[in-house]
Amino acid sequence: MSVSVLSTPRALGGVSGLLQVASLLGLVLLLLKAAQLYLHRQWLLKALQQFPSPPSHWLYGHMQEFQDETELRPLLKRVEKYPSACARWLWGTKALVLIYDPDYMKVVLGRSDPKSHDAYRMLIPWIGKGLLLLEGQTWFQHRRMLTPAFHYDILKPYVGLMADSVRVMLDKWEELVSLDSHLEVLGHVSLMTLDTIMKCAFSHQGSIQTDRWSDQDEEGSPAKGGRAGEGEEQEAPGFPGHPPLRQSECGQERPEWRTPGCLPLDGLSFRDHLDKMPYTTMCIKEALRLYPPVPFIGRYLSKPITFPDGRALPAGVPLSLSFYGLHHNPKVWPNPEVFDPSRFAPGSDRHSHAFLPFSGGSRNCIGKQFAMNEMKVAVALTLLRFELAPNPSRVPVPIPRVVLKSKNGIHLQLRKLL
């Protein structure tokens, strides 16, 4: 009995001692971590001192300034106020440098710095670790293996498949427009694009659009709003505040397309006309300048870098190449918010400052020619069958995600052509 009574206090004393040691060890580790974060913040402050920015909170940085749905507005204010680049604090000890100058971007894209793992690791479960996410020699080998498949001559036969997918989408639009002139087109265009990729890349037979058409009917038609009224504008869609792409101007590309029996709908003749659509190509590029599908690309400096104006950054600093900021930079593009296809007229030197959705350098988009062909086919065939105008009651609200998207969809007014 006496042994049991004496051993209990000793056991409690031993547990208390262990708790004290664990608490002391935890406190030491906490202080070490705090010191590490403090030293890292001081290093960042010194590294970014050449890149001014608005005042930031010591803990949450510029998070209040850059909200998800309004992030593009403060970005454009920074582009106007701070030349070439500026710092952005994500929180107390994490920051990056926003770049929106063409000469700065060419320096970065001419190097082999790895992509920002924080920005791209979320894509691995979705698309796998393919060409987009690979680095180093493995990327180089895969890129060299795939490049011949995207040769211009190899892509030409796919134009007929692209036209087939677009025609299926337009047939669906004709059914919907007969009932209602207001149409949300984002879902339709996305499905048409998927249909094209399935046919061209995987030899899919049939059409995903028709397979899913019955499902969309059950869920409800995306067409909402009033019927087409008299006297609607004879124009193709523009963007809020921008002059629309005029139907008549695009029709002048190939006047014979307006002649019955001469429409290039068989795909074979269409592919021979893709290089004879200069104005349509200019309009597509200007639209991509205003709304780049990939608004940002992350890079992580593996070695120090010096920019053309002498400013420098040490290794270890993350960069964010803001294509949206570059394409709205008033020092590069006069009146950047104005839709002006003449910026990309043949012989113009300013178009070299636009990376569009294809980036630049050694890691430029391998499928850029495929994408341009698909856009030309979709625009040309659509303008042959419809007049389009923006829906003023539902103006698209662009928000940056992995890609640029509209918060509220893309609503248009459609009217069939005779």
Side-chain angles (χ1 to χ4, degrees):
M1 178 66 70
S2 60
V3 174
S4 175
V5 171
L6 292 174
S7 62
T8 300
R10 293 176 182 175
L12 293 176
V15 171
S16 176
L18 289 175
L19 290 176
Q20 291 178 0
V21 171
S23 299
L24 181 61
L25 181 60
L27 180 61
V28 171
L29 293 176
L30 182 62
L31 291 175
L32 288 175
K33 186 63 177 180
Q36 181 185 18
L37 293 175
Y38 175 78
L39 292 175
H40 183 68
R41 177 176 172 81
Q42 295 303 308
W43 177 83
L44 278 175
L45 288 170
K46 183 178 180 181
L48 303 181
Q49 63 183 353
Q50 299 181 54
F51 298 88
S53 65
S56 62
H57 190 271
W58 67 271
L59 178 60
Y60 48 79
H62 295 117
M63 293 299 290
Q64 287 188 333
E65 178 185 0
F66 287 91
Q67 301 295 329
D68 286 344
E69 297 179 5
T70 59
E71 183 170 345
L72 298 178
R73 297 176 188 173
L75 170 64
L76 297 185
K77 292 180 180 178
R78 288 189 174 208
V79 170
E80 293 182 9
K81 185 174 182 179
Y82 303 104
S84 304
C86 69
R88 175 182 172 183
W89 288 87
L90 304 179
W91 53 286
T93 60
K94 190 170 184 179
L96 52 81
V97 175
L98 281 169
I99 294 177
Y100 34 79
D101 178 86
D103 295 327
Y104 271 51
M105 285 193 175
K106 289 174 183 177
V107 172
V108 176
L109 294 173
R111 293 160 42 115
S112 57
D113 296 297
K115 294 188 175 183
S116 174
H117 296 294
D118 292 341
Y120 286 93
R121 64 185 176 184
M122 67 182 70
L123 297 178
I124 295 178
W126 178 32
I127 63 175
K129 199 164 186 180
L131 192 63
L132 177 65
L133 303 179
L134 289 174
E135 304 284 352
Q137 187 64 23
T138 304
W139 169 83
F140 178 77
Q141 292 173 350
H142 286 220
R143 173 83 180 208
R144 184 171 58 180
M145 179 178 62
L146 289 173
T147 296
F150 290 89
H151 189 273
Y152 182 78
D153 292 333
I154 298 295
L155 295 178
K156 268 192 173 183
Y158 292 134
V159 171
L161 297 175
M162 296 174 182
D164 290 340
S165 297
V166 175
R167 284 200 303 272
V168 172
M169 179 186 72
L170 298 178
D171 290 341
K172 290 161 53 179
W173 287 10
E174 287 198 352
E175 296 180 16
L176 292 172
V177 170
S178 63
L179 301 175
D180 199 325
S181 67
H182 293 180
L183 186 66
E184 200 287 313
V185 301
L186 180 59
H188 293 270
V189 174
S190 300
L191 200 57
M192 179 271 292
T193 304
L194 176 61
D195 197 7
T196 299
I197 293 175
M198 291 295 293
K199 290 178 179 179
C200 297
F202 302 105
S203 300
H204 177 73
Q205 302 297 319
S207 173
I208 294 177
Q209 300 178 84
T210 55
D211 294 342
R212 293 191 56 184
W213 183 233
S214 59
D215 296 337
Q216 292 185 8
D217 284 341
E218 293 175 2
E219 295 170 1
S221 170
K224 303 291 182 183
R227 289 182 177 276
E230 295 295 331
E232 287 187 278
E233 297 181 74
Q234 306 286 321
E235 296 174 335
F239 298 92
H242 308 136
L245 171 62
R246 295 188 178 276
Q247 200 97 17
S248 58
E249 292 172 330
C250 291
Q252 293 173 2
E253 298 277 22
R254 303 293 296 173
E256 66 270 23
W257 289 4
R258 291 289 181 185
T259 304
C262 294
L263 298 182
L265 299 183
D266 58 357
L268 298 177
S269 58
F270 205 153
R271 69 190 185 193
D272 296 328
H273 294 306
L274 288 181
D275 295 331
K276 302 173 184 178
M277 303 166 61
Y279 185 76
T280 301
T281 303
M282 289 159 53
C283 290
I284 290 174
K285 289 183 176 181
E286 175 67 350
L288 292 174
R289 180 192 69 81
L290 283 165
Y291 299 98
V294 181
F296 303 96
I297 289 182
R299 287 288 188 270
Y300 188 82
L301 291 180
S302 58
K303 55 184 178 181
I305 188 172
T306 301
F307 295 107
D309 58 3
R311 291 195 287 184
L313 285 171
V317 175
L319 302 178
S320 179
L321 279 64
S322 174
F323 295 104
Y324 191 92
L326 168 66
H327 293 169
H328 292 76
N329 190 337
K331 296 180 177 63
V332 179
W333 308 95
N335 300 318
E337 302 305 315
V338 175
F339 182 82
D340 181 11
S342 65
R343 303 179 200 269
F344 294 92
S348 173
D349 59 346
R350 288 196 172 274
H351 64 83
S352 62
H353 298 319
F355 294 94
L356 302 179
F358 308 124
S359 186
S362 60
R363 297 201 65 147
N364 66 335
C365 178
I366 194 173
K368 60 182 179 181
Q369 189 60 54
F370 181 94
M372 284 300 297
N373 287 351
E374 185 178 11
M375 285 185 282
K376 289 180 183 180
V377 171
V379 170
L381 291 181
T382 300
L383 296 182
L384 287 172
R385 295 173 63 175
F386 290 97
E387 292 175 355
L388 305 97
N391 186 342
S393 64
R394 298 184 179 182
V395 178
V397 179
I399 54 175
R401 294 291 185 266
V402 176
V403 295
L404 190 69
K405 63 178 297 184
S406 173
K407 176 186 175 183
N408 56 341
I410 300 177
H411 298 265
L412 299 177
Q413 295 176 336
L414 283 76
R415 188 170 66 179
K416 290 188 291 185
L417 294 172
L418 297 178

